[in-house]
Amino acid sequence: MGCVRIEDIPNFRVTSAMFEKIATINGLIKQTDEFKDKKVELRLRKESKIRSINSSLAIEGNDLGFLTVRDVIDGKDVEGDYIDIVEVKNAVRAYGMIASADPWSIDDLLSIHSEMMFGLVEYEGFRKHGVGVYEGADRLVYKAPDPEDVPAMVGRLLSLIHISEPTRPEPIS
């Protein structure tokens, strides 16, 4: 099973048309402001955050359910695997950093990642060892890129999606 090479990453170009579509969507969202009930909006935002954290962590093997994740976010005592609870608390703090992060900054990306991994890994930054996905104990089904290749790959990814536009659309909050 080979490693993904930087040359194999497809080129992807963000276009002005994409930003125009995002701006159109933002405009339509703003038109609905007069119909918004702040209590309903806050409840929906919180539920969206809980679902996002719950589903993202479930991909990584976190076994806490939606209601337990909600209780962790609300600061309640819950029963569950210690690591799963730490992952939820870390995710809440990391999600809180996103709005002020520079999306093109590797340093900001690593700061958010460090918050996500606080108390779960021995060191901060890019990983320093190989990883893979195994079926059973010994059948490698996916080998991640070698650790020494990851910084260049992340840099290339950011350069591929970065576009120097005079204005970027406002984030949907």
Side-chain angles (χ1 to χ4, degrees), residues 29-37:
I29 290 170
K30 285 183 181 185
Q31 287 178 15
T32 66
D33 282 348
E34 64 189 70
F35 304 111
K36 288 185 180 177
D37 176 336

Side-chain angles (χ1 to χ4, degrees), residues 102-112 126 151-152 154-156 158:
D102 175 355
W104 315 117
S105 166
I106 291 177
D107 289 339
D108 284 3
L109 175 72
L110 289 174
S111 291
I112 293 169
F126 290 112
V154 170
R156 177 144 186 258
L158 292 178

Side-chain angles (χ1 to χ4, degrees), residues 45-152:
R45 285 186 186 280
K46 182 177 180 181
E47 183 168 324
S48 175
K49 179 180 179 179
I50 294 166
R51 288 187 187 283
S52 176
I53 289 171
N54 183 229
S55 60
S56 295
L57 294 177
I59 291 169
E60 298 298 325
N62 188 303
D63 290 327
L64 298 181
F66 174 80
L67 296 176
T68 306
V69 169
R70 182 193 64 198
D71 287 346
V72 170
I73 290 171
D74 288 342
K76 295 179 181 175
D77 290 333
V78 299
E79 288 187 28
D81 183 78
Y82 174 78
I83 297 297
D84 288 350
I85 295 168
V86 168
E87 287 176 341
V88 172
K89 290 178 178 181
N90 290 356
V92 171
R93 289 191 309 275
Y95 275 48
M97 297 169 69
I98 292 171
S100 62
D102 175 355
W104 315 117
S105 166
I106 291 177
D107 289 339
D108 284 3
L109 175 72
L110 289 174
S111 291
I112 293 169
H113 181 264
S114 291
E115 196 64 45
M116 282 290 298
M117 303 309 293
F118 180 77
L120 303 172
V121 296
E122 294 179 31
Y123 54 85
E124 294 183 359
F126 290 112
R127 62 183 165 79
K128 297 171 178 36
H129 59 279
V131 295
V133 176
Y134 289 84
E135 187 176 277
D138 58 356
R139 183 174 177 274
L140 179 66
V141 293
Y142 172 75
K143 179 186 180 297
D146 292 326
E148 61 272 8
D149 294 334
V150 173

Side-chain angles (χ1 to χ4, degrees), residues 19 22-23 25-27 29-30 167-173:
F19 280 113
I22 293 169
I25 292 168
N26 280 337
I29 290 170
K30 285 183 181 185
T167 58
R168 292 201 320 228
E170 289 182 32
I172 299 172
S173 56

